């Protein structure tokens, strides 16, 4: 697939990094193991970690589609299969249904689904899981990992964000780490974006991926939460619809005030 130069408004950034599947600038001062993410024209592997089927799609489906359209490899690593989402349905049946929904959504976004084997509503953050998920992530050799922001009302989302953060630290920051938001104000909290991706042209495709999660009341979830969120982040970024991220860079000098 031909790679395109990013349109000026494709990615509105406040940091020194470029995203949007087009170019990744060198990570100044970071113990970055690989040089591949410094090459603007190199194929990247993007891994999006989510607690449940649907989290990556709702949180950053537009950005992931943008990456895959640009010729990059995208993997969704779901921590669980969402097996606890309906008390009237057995875990086994719900896991089967939600796995199928995730597979359908991934096809729409041209992503590859993987499942990490934890249990919905009972995810674990401990030494064993830190090692297991860290190994799974590194085995994928990601250039960039997107994960849920850990300050969230849902315990599974907290666990997901912290597992990613721990893997990033333990790997000597071998990949770029971005956090994404879901249901901000209800689930994600304290989210102050550093970067925005214009998803205006990808809204319908993202919507189709979200609506593939038929067991999750996608129409109301979209209308009540994600449609206004895309538009709110779009207003902040000066475009019609955007997804917002926190680029986690502990070493970066954050003072960007002119004159300091
Ligand atoms: Zn979730």
């Amino acid at each position: 697939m031909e790679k395109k130069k990013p349109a000026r408004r494709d990615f509105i950034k406040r940091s020194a990094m470029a995203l949007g599947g087009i170019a990744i600038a060198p990570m100044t001062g970071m113990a970055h193991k690989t040089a591949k993410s410094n090459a603007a024209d190199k194929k990247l592997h993007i891994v999006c970690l989510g607690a449940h089927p649907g989290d990556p799609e709702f949180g950053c489906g537009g950005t992931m589609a943008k990456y895959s359209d640009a010729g990059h490899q995208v993997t969704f690593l779901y921590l669980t299969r969402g097996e606890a989402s309906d008390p009237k349905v057995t875990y086994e049946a719900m896991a089967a249904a939600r796995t199928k929904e995730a597979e359908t959504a991934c096809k729409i976004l041209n992503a590859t689904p993987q499942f990490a084997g934890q249990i919905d509503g009972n995810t674990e953050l401990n030494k064993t899981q830190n090692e297991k998920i860290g190994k799974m992530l590194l085995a994928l050799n990601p250039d960039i990992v997107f994960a849920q922001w850990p300050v969230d009302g849902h315990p599974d989302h907290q666990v997901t964000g912290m597992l990613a953060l721990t893997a990033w630290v333990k790997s000597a920051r071998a990949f770029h780490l971005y956090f994404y938001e879901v249901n901000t104000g209800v689930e994600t909290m304290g989210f102050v974006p550093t970067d925005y991706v214009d998803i205006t042209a990808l809204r319908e495709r993202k919507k189709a991926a979200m609506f593939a999660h038929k067991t999750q009341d996608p129409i109301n979830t979209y209308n009540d939460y994600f449609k206004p969120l895309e538009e709110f982040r779009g207003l902040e970024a000066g475009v019609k619809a955007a997804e917002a991220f926190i680029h986690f860079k502990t070493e970066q000098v954050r003072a960007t005030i002119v004159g300091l």
Side-chain angles (χ1 to χ4, degrees):
M1 186 175 294
E2 188 189 357
K3 288 178 188 166
K4 296 172 287 188
K5 286 276 183 192
R8 190 175 168 272
R9 303 188 84 180
D10 272 3
F11 183 49
I12 303 92
K13 62 190 173 63
R14 289 180 180 167
S15 73
M17 300 282 295
L19 183 65
I22 311 297
I24 299 294
M27 299 182 73
T28 314
M30 294 190 75
H32 200 56
K33 281 180 177 174
T34 66
K36 62 185 173 180
S37 55
N38 293 343
D41 57 350
K42 186 121 185 178
K43 186 177 175 181
L44 302 171
H45 189 187
I46 319 301
V47 176
C48 187
L49 184 64
H52 312 105
D55 284 328
E57 296 90 321
F58 281 81
C60 46
T63 301
M64 295 302 113
K66 202 165 223 179
Y67 273 123
S68 59
D69 285 356
H72 301 296
Q73 184 184 357
V74 178
T75 300
F76 286 179
L77 180 57
Y78 301 104
L79 202 56
T80 78
R81 293 178 189 260
E83 43 275 272
S85 60
D86 187 341
K88 299 186 293 296
V89 181
T90 65
Y91 274 25
E92 195 179 24
M94 185 51 76
R98 296 198 66 183
T99 298
K100 272 193 182 166
E101 291 173 350
E103 287 168 351
T104 302
C106 280
K107 266 191 195 136
I108 293 166
L109 301 174
N110 196 20
T112 303
Q114 283 199 19
F115 297 88
Q118 287 217 31
I119 301 300
D120 181 14
N122 198 25
T123 53
E124 295 178 349
L125 178 67
N126 53 36
K127 189 166 183 275
T128 304
Q129 288 298 328
N130 273 325
E131 285 174 1
K132 181 183 170 187
I133 301 302
K135 269 185 195 163
M136 286 183 88
L137 279 176
L138 288 181
L140 293 166
N141 196 24
D143 297 278
I144 309 172
V145 171
F146 287 81
Q148 284 172 282
W149 178 242
V151 184
D152 190 295
H154 196 310
D156 291 342
H157 297 174
Q158 298 167 11
V159 167
T160 303
M162 291 310 295
L163 285 168
L165 180 64
T166 303
W168 180 70
V169 171
K170 285 198 168 180
S171 71
R173 293 148 197 177
F175 48 81
H176 300 284
L177 178 62
Y178 288 84
F179 289 108
Y180 64 89
E181 57 182 336
V182 289
N183 287 23
T184 297
V186 177
E187 292 185 339
T188 297
M189 292 178 275
F191 193 84
V192 181
T194 58
D195 297 274
Y196 295 82
V197 175
D198 179 3
I199 62 158
T200 305
L202 294 148
R203 284 187 96 180
E204 288 308 311
R205 188 141 147 243
K206 177 183 176 181
K207 197 171 160 188
M210 293 190 282
F211 279 42
H213 293 277
K214 291 178 186 165
T215 63
Q216 302 305 300
D217 188 17
I219 296 172
N220 287 323
T221 304
Y222 176 72
N223 286 331
D224 293 347
Y225 299 109
F226 287 91
K227 184 173 183 286
L229 182 58
E230 287 172 6
E231 290 167 356
F232 172 65
R233 293 307 184 194
L235 283 171
E236 286 188 315
V239 297
K240 197 167 182 184
E243 288 169 343
F245 301 96
I246 291 175
H247 185 198
F248 207 72
K249 293 185 286 188
T250 53
E251 297 88 346
Q252 186 188 28
V253 176
R254 290 182 179 270
T256 54
I257 299 170
V258 174
L260 295 180

